[in-house]
Amino acid sequence: MEIEPEKFHSSRDEVSSETAYHCSACHDDEEWSCANPIRGRAKSRSLSASPALGSTKEFRRTRSLHGPCPVTTFGPKACMLQNPKTIMHIQDPASQRLTWNKPPKSVLVIKKIRDASLLQPFKELCVYLTEENNMIVYVEKKVLEDPAIAHDENFGPVKKKFCTFSEDYDDISNQIDFIICLGGDGTLLYASSLFQGSVPPVMAFHLGSLGFLTPFNFENFQSQVTQVIEGNAALVLRSRLKVRVVKEHREKKVIQNGIEENGMVPTSLEKEVVKQIMQYQVLNEVVVDRGPSSYLSNVDVYLDGHLITTVQGDGVIVSTPTGSTAYAAAAGASMIHPNVPAIMITPICPHSLSFRPIVVPAGVELKITLSPDARNTAWVSFDGRKRQEICHGDSKHLS
């Protein structure tokens, strides 16, 4: 699982042991002695923590100041080998804030297609971005083909300032500073699919049927967009799955005058195996199912090269923490917080009582192949799009 590069690391200020600790999360902005500072668990607002050693004044903790740190010592002599490349630091979600190295100049506006109720919000947002903030607005060509936008004379001067692009044809990954989505969760998933590398910050307004990933309301969009442009906004980091589909094709060898390239005379008409590799970045989940076949799907699931189970049923879902609240939750999986680095494997109606949803750590490699005794092929989809058929010999790698 690949963490998007737009995460921001907060640095801790080193405090000497002779100064006083100051709790900014407390209501009363109280201080306590640091002779033997205590780092307790996060407390709720209604609970009072015990006073620190050397202090007679009680204080109240509302949340942890920093994320948890893994214990790297085991007993009096054993410890973990320090390798900066493998150590994972979990940042406190409350401290994740947006910052800009340079002021943003370009924004991608994505609108839900074939929804007449979004036309007016789309026009108001574009006018505000171009005229009030002098932003360069990128819009898909198919959005401007809507008759309500194409024949609007009042919107014509604003439309001439747009930069347009087409999906799967134009690469705008290095031209967008941040993204604004108008729609539901599907609109945000579509925005993620446009950027197979680093994804710019996404600001999603809840204007669709589902709103798990769209926290902003459009009533006061001016002030909210201004705060994002000024770098005064909180961040929620989302991880994506890096998927690699390996398909095998058998082609005839090139034989000239009945002699192969190595000079040998072929004894039989053999075919050469050619592998085709396709890569995707997935925000929600990857689903392997039986497709239109009436037979059950049989797929083998490998974890870091080891076979862990064979899924016999309607299929299997491999989801991120973001996708745990979508198809995986409907199939009986647990919900995972976005800041938990994990991958969830959920069977779809399995014909086995022993296989239930499991959670594996982020960074592992999952390999899913069609079982040798499978009676039919399987189909794979990425966030519900780009369905492909998996045959014997094909494999799917996720990390």
Side-chain angles (χ1 to χ4, degrees), residues 41-306:
R41 297 179 179 271
K43 302 292 192 302
S44 63
R45 295 181 184 273
S46 60
L47 298 179
S48 298
S50 301
L53 297 178
S55 174
T56 59
K57 195 174 184 180
E58 292 187 358
F59 62 91
R60 180 171 297 177
R61 296 291 299 273
T62 58
R63 63 189 178 191
S64 61
L65 297 181
H66 304 287
C69 296
V71 178
T72 57
T73 58
F74 317 101
K77 295 184 178 180
C79 64
M80 184 183 297
L81 178 64
Q82 298 297 323
N83 186 355
K85 295 182 179 180
T86 60
I87 297 177
M88 180 177 298
H89 298 282
I90 303 176
Q91 187 178 7
D92 183 7
S95 65
Q96 297 170 174
R97 307 292 298 182
L98 174 64
T99 183
W100 299 104
N101 296 326
K102 296 180 180 180
K105 296 296 182 182
S106 60
V107 55
L108 170 62
V109 179
I110 298 181
K111 183 185 76 70
K112 184 179 180 181
I113 305 298
R114 295 184 295 273
D115 192 340
S117 63
L118 298 181
L119 293 176
Q120 188 61 30
F122 172 76
K123 295 178 182 179
E124 294 178 4
L125 176 63
C126 293
V127 170
Y128 178 75
L129 291 173
T130 55
E131 297 183 357
E132 298 292 335
N133 293 277
N134 296 322
M135 302 288 293
I136 301 175
V137 179
Y138 283 78
V139 180
E140 287 186 279
K141 291 182 179 179
K142 59 184 179 181
V143 173
L144 301 182
E145 294 174 356
D146 193 320
I149 297 178
H151 302 310
D152 190 348
E153 298 180 356
N154 297 328
F155 193 66
V158 179
K159 186 173 61 175
K160 293 180 180 179
K161 300 179 182 180
F162 289 161
C163 295
T164 59
F165 72 98
S166 298
E167 182 187 6
D168 297 331
Y169 289 97
D170 301 323
D171 184 13
I172 59 173
S173 57
N174 295 326
Q175 303 175 15
I176 304 300
D177 293 331
F178 71 101
I179 307 170
I180 297 180
C181 294
L182 302 178
D185 293 347
T187 308
L188 192 145
L189 293 176
Y190 173 71
S192 174
S193 66
L194 295 176
F195 297 85
Q196 292 300 302
S198 176
V199 180
V202 182
M203 184 179 186
F205 287 97
H206 180 29
L207 294 172
S209 56
L210 295 177
F212 292 103
L213 306 177
T214 54
F216 294 96
N217 295 322
F218 196 77
E219 285 75 12
N220 54 346
F221 75 92
Q222 295 92 342
S223 61
Q224 298 183 83
V225 172
T226 302
Q227 289 181 357
V228 172
I229 295 176
E230 295 176 351
N232 184 21
L235 283 178
V236 177
L237 302 182
R238 303 279 178 171
S239 57
R240 296 196 298 179
L241 290 174
K242 185 177 181 181
V243 187
R244 187 162 56 97
V245 180
V246 180
K247 298 183 69 66
E248 291 188 356
H249 301 279
R250 296 186 177 272
E251 298 179 357
K252 294 182 179 180
K253 293 183 179 180
V254 178
I255 301 176
Q256 297 179 355
N257 300 326
I259 301 176
E260 293 183 351
E261 295 179 355
N262 55 6
M264 301 296 293
V265 178
T267 57
S268 60
L269 296 178
E270 297 181 353
K271 293 184 178 181
E272 184 178 3
V273 178
V274 179
K275 292 185 178 181
Q276 180 184 4
I277 301 177
M278 295 163 287
Q279 294 187 0
Y280 304 94
Q281 295 280 354
V282 178
L283 178 61
N284 252 6
E285 75 276 308
V286 176
V287 179
V288 180
D289 55 39
R290 62 183 182 179
S293 175
S294 59
Y295 297 107
L296 295 177
S297 65
N298 284 270
V299 293
D300 296 334
V301 181
Y302 295 84
L303 177 63
D304 286 336
H306 301 280

Side-chain angles (χ1 to χ4, degrees), residues 1 241-246 286 288 300-309 311 316-320 342-346 355 358-369 395-399:
M1 180 161 49
L241 290 174
K242 185 177 181 181
V243 187
R244 187 162 56 97
V245 180
V246 180
V286 176
V288 180
D300 296 334
V301 181
Y302 295 84
L303 177 63
D304 286 336
H306 301 280
L307 177 66
I308 59 174
T309 186
V311 182
V316 62
I317 306 171
V318 181
S319 61
T320 64
I343 302 175
M344 175 165 286
I345 306 173
T346 307
F355 185 27
I358 59 176
V359 180
V360 297
V364 302
E365 183 184 71
L366 294 173
K367 179 181 177 181
I368 300 178
T369 61
S395 61
K396 180 167 64 68
H397 303 260
L398 303 99
S399 60

